[in-house]
């Protein structure tokens, strides 16, 4: 199992999972399927890829610039058949519609009917198969009510399994609770994701970002440590779901205190992300 990590937007990623024997590929969270025109000031730097002795060309723009998913599919010589979408938010699903138009017959899977171009709705515990790659679908509501995480492993492979958790779980944190109760979010984080094998990689490390394993997250992620005394003491609560509720509230308060983007900066980001169109010359 080979995973290509594709930076998109300002601080997000989509993934291309390749079954190396059949050369079938599955994309995860397609925010932007094609690359927009390069902006002035783009820089291409060379980053070191750990443990391989090779280099990885990495494109840096003023904020972000999506790599072209279809370019990578062609370069890898694989057949992209399926999209797995964790949740319906535009920064994880907006590219589905265009990708489905460009690739007739593409299957788009997820657990929420609000997902763009969805062809079939998944249920919790459902298992999929792509060659030697197994996918277990884990419903993890919290950030959204229909959030699905994907646990992947390969038969007779020494590499550890991986989980694509979308905005349910991040390095030392988790996504904002938007549509469910704290109890549901606690169940998703602690009773579903945290019970996967500790060596499971949270997403992947094909680019120099901040990869982690679930074992590491259990050591330092407070949203997974809601039953521990220091975290309970900080929140003043005992019940795990109530502890989680306070942590989410404290995090939201911290985020509100951050300086908001000026309207001009917001417009520039929207233009770069493809939410606005360039004016046509008259």
């Amino acid at each position: 199992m080979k995973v290509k990590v594709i930076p998109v937007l300002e601080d997000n990623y989509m993934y291309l999972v390749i079954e190396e024997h059949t050369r079938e590929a599955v994309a995860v969270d397609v925010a932007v399927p094609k690359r927009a025109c390069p902006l002035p000031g783009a820089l291409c730097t060379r980053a070191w890829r750990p443990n391989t002795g090779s280099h990885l060309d990495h494109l840096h723009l003023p904020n972000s610039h999506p790599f072209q998913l279809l370019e990578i599919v062609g370069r890898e010589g694989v057949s992209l058949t399926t999209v797995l979408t964790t949740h319906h938010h535009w920064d994880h699903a907006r590219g589905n519609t265009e990708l489905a138009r460009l690739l007739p017959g593409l299957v788009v899977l997820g657990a929420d009917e609000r997902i763009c171009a969805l062809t079939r709705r998944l249920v919790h515990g459902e298992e999929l198969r792509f060659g030697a790659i197994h996918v277990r679908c884990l419903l993890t509501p919290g950030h959204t009510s229909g959030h699905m995480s994907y646990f992947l492993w390969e038969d007779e492979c020494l590499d550890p399994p991986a989980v694509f958790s979308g905005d349910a779980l991040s390095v030392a944190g988790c996504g904002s609770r938007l549509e469910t109760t704290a109890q549901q979010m606690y169940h998703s984080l602690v009773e579903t994701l945290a019970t996967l094998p500790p060596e499971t990689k949270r997403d992947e490390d094909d680019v120099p970002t901040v990869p982690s394993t679930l074992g590491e997250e259990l050591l330092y992620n407070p949203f997974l440590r809601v039953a521990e005394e220091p975290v309970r003491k900080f929140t003043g609560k005992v019940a795990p779901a109530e502890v989680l509720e306070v942590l989410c509230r404290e995090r939201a308060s911290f985020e509100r205190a951050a300086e908001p983007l000026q309207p001009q900066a917001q417009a520039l980001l929207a233009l770069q992300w493809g939410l606005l169109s360039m004016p046509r010359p008259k």
Side-chain angles (χ1 to χ4, degrees):
M1 181 170 65
K2 180 180 182 181
V3 179
K4 304 292 293 184
V5 182
I6 308 168
V8 292
L9 309 178
E10 189 179 34
D11 58 354
N12 211 356
Y13 298 92
M14 59 183 173
Y15 306 89
L16 185 68
V17 183
I18 300 171
E19 210 283 15
E20 297 189 81
H21 298 291
T22 64
R23 306 305 292 168
E24 182 179 4
V26 178
V28 182
D29 281 358
V30 180
V32 185
K34 296 198 302 181
R35 182 163 53 198
C37 295
L39 296 174
L43 297 175
C44 187
T45 62
R46 178 159 283 192
W48 185 258
R49 178 181 284 147
N51 304 323
T52 66
S54 62
H55 290 85
L56 176 70
D57 289 328
H58 196 66
L59 190 67
H60 295 279
L61 291 167
N63 288 290
S64 174
H65 189 60
F67 281 68
Q68 188 172 9
L69 174 61
L70 294 181
E71 230 177 47
I72 296 175
V73 167
R75 189 164 63 243
E76 292 289 329
V78 298
S79 174
L80 178 58
T81 64
T82 306
V83 172
L84 300 176
T85 304
T86 59
H87 60 295
H88 75 281
H89 288 162
W90 72 270
D91 56 337
H92 290 256
R94 179 175 175 266
N96 289 352
T97 301
E98 184 179 3
L99 191 62
R101 180 182 65 81
L102 295 170
L103 297 176
L106 183 74
V107 177
V108 179
L109 304 176
D112 195 320
E113 292 179 350
R114 295 172 290 181
I115 292 172
C116 297
L118 186 72
T119 57
R120 186 167 70 82
R121 189 172 179 179
L122 299 169
V123 297
H124 177 69
E126 184 172 350
E127 294 202 359
L128 310 172
R129 189 78 178 265
F130 302 96
I133 299 175
H134 298 261
V135 181
R136 182 175 300 148
C137 306
L138 302 172
L139 191 61
T140 48
H143 183 61
T144 66
S145 59
H147 194 292
M148 184 74 84
S149 296
Y150 301 98
F151 178 61
L152 277 67
W153 74 98
E154 193 169 5
D155 288 336
E156 301 178 1
C157 181
L158 298 178
D159 293 335
V163 62
F164 295 90
S165 53
D167 282 345
L169 182 66
S170 58
V171 175
C174 66
S176 300
R177 183 175 64 82
L178 300 178
E179 298 181 350
T180 65
T181 66
Q183 184 64 45
Q184 288 174 301
M185 191 172 191
Y186 165 76
H187 184 274
S188 297
L189 292 174
V190 179
E191 298 182 0
T192 300
L193 292 176
T195 59
L196 295 174
E199 69 272 17
T200 300
K201 292 183 179 180
R202 194 204 61 80
D203 299 335
E204 285 285 344
D205 55 354
D206 193 40
V207 296
T209 166
V210 189
S212 66
T213 65
L214 286 179
E216 292 167 344
E217 291 296 326
L218 289 169
L219 294 176
Y220 51 64
N221 191 325
F223 297 92
L224 298 181
R225 299 171 57 214
V226 292
E228 297 181 17
E229 183 56 33
V231 184
R232 287 178 170 178
K233 185 176 180 180
F234 170 79
T235 62
K237 302 293 183 180
V238 175
E242 294 180 358
V243 173
L244 182 63
E245 177 74 23
V246 174
L247 290 177
C248 290
R249 190 162 60 242
E250 290 291 326
R251 193 259 307 279
S253 177
F254 174 81
E255 290 174 344
R256 283 195 298 270
E259 183 177 355
L261 287 173
Q262 297 299 315
Q264 296 89 342
Q266 290 177 324
L268 178 60
L269 286 178
L271 179 62
Q272 292 180 8
W273 294 350
L275 298 181
L276 298 177
S277 299
M278 290 288 290
R280 296 182 178 180
K282 296 183 179 179

